[in-house]
Amino acid sequence: MGWKSSLIIIENKENFTDENEILNALGKSDYEFDRELTLDECIYPNDKSINIGYFNGNIVISDDYQITTNSLERADKLNLTKEEKNLVELFPTSEIVTVACHSAVNYHGYSVIENGIKKRLKIISSDEPRIEFGERIKEENEIYERSYTKDNKNFWKDDADPEEDFTEDQLMEDFTFGVAKRRIGILLDHSDGDELMEKVIFKKFKSPNQTSEVEELIKTEKKAKWIKYGIIILILIIWQILKRTVFKN
């Protein structure tokens, strides 16, 4: 399975359930409730939605890379982004874990905020070197301990084929879901993740002004059709003008 996901997992000490406040913190105050669904249906929504559920003492947010991209790829070292600062105001003593991955380029990244301070950040992909700040966390160390170093890079032996090695980006699922387990207590890419993936109800929120990909496609096709008609009409007009002037003489 090719995984595409981006999650913000917030320790929910006070049983917080005000989704509107969460949306405000994420800069999505205009978003409105759309429908209920499972994480399996919204882990990669691809519709610029925000999906919020509650599991094992945590708030789980599937954000379609909208917030996590800023928190990870565009991060300024361990400085908090605007959205992270807003979340910290809502949850000042909670641990906030952000994870994201995309199998097309073996990209994975994650960060950990504790008591309002970002303690850890790492991102890597198949075409980019590893970038990391802060001390490695326990969940990472458990994976790195199985590796060996060659040419200043980490490699992992393939149990099925001792002659083959895995590079760090190829362990995308191990790192992404291993770090997520720090908060949710289960591995999403294993059978113990079925409960969260298939049974927990999430609420989808979308911008009322946002059109779907299908609607955008229809608009594009209509626009292309009218451009085509416009060109044909223009050619006919020019032809009529030429007939009355150039060819008549």
Side-chain angles (χ1 to χ4, degrees), residues 217-233:
L217 181 60
I218 292 173
K219 285 183 179 180
T220 301
E221 290 179 346
K222 286 183 177 179
K223 183 178 179 180
K225 185 182 294 183
W226 282 112
I227 291 174
K228 178 181 177 181
Y229 290 156
I231 293 173
I232 293 173
I233 293 171

Side-chain angles (χ1 to χ4, degrees), residues 136-200:
R136 289 179 178 174
I137 59 177
K138 178 176 70 71
E139 290 76 12
E140 291 177 277
N141 285 328
E142 292 173 355
I143 302 173
Y144 282 116
E145 285 172 0
R146 306 197 305 265
S147 71
Y148 71 95
T149 304
K150 180 174 66 177
D151 299 327
N152 294 321
K153 294 182 179 180
N154 293 92
F155 294 88
W156 286 257
K157 284 294 182 182
D158 184 351
D159 294 334
D161 186 353
E163 298 300 318
E164 292 293 327
D165 291 330
F166 287 121
T167 56
E168 187 166 343
D169 62 286
Q170 291 176 309
L171 268 72
M172 181 190 80
E173 292 92 341
D174 298 64
F175 281 102
T176 302
F177 301 120
V179 171
K181 183 181 178 181
R182 175 184 178 92
R183 285 255 40 92
I184 56 180
I186 48 93
L187 290 170
L188 279 175
D189 60 334
H190 286 63
S191 59
D192 58 350
D194 290 348
E195 181 181 358
L196 176 53
M197 290 291 289
E198 300 174 4
K199 298 179 181 179
V200 174

